[in-house]
Amino acid sequence: MLLFLLLCLLTAGFFIEIFQKHILKIKEPDIRSLWEELDKQDWYNILISDSELAEWIELDKKNGLLKDPYYVRKVLDKPGHREGYIQYIKSKID
């Protein structure tokens, strides 16, 4: 019974995904354009001027938080998320 319920949930998720992508034409934000927007931010340029932080930020772009387009958008738009990310990345070198 539990397996059937799980299968139903997965199937529903699959159909919702198809509906969003093909019928509503909702697309994932382009991560490269978000990174370009991030490169224009003063606070970001201050962070990457430190070579140790720059290494961590590059790793974040490959496999971390900055790989997620929704998270990058939040960091760009919301000061709370931005400050949280700055503290997170600075804690990496402490």
Side-chain angles (χ1 to χ4, degrees), residues 70-87:
Y70 296 105
Y71 184 79
V72 175
R73 176 51 54 202
K74 286 181 182 179
V75 167
L76 287 168
D77 293 342
K78 299 184 179 190
H81 279 81
R82 184 177 315 126
E83 291 302 317
Y85 180 73
I86 292 170
Q87 293 304 316

Side-chain angles (χ1 to χ4, degrees), residues 30-48:
D30 181 30
I31 192 68
R32 300 221 183 268
S33 66
L34 291 172
W35 286 344
E36 288 173 6
E37 194 174 335
L38 196 59
D39 288 335
K40 296 175 185 174
Q41 302 289 315
D42 292 333
W43 62 269
Y44 179 79
N45 289 321
I46 292 170
L47 285 178
I48 61 171

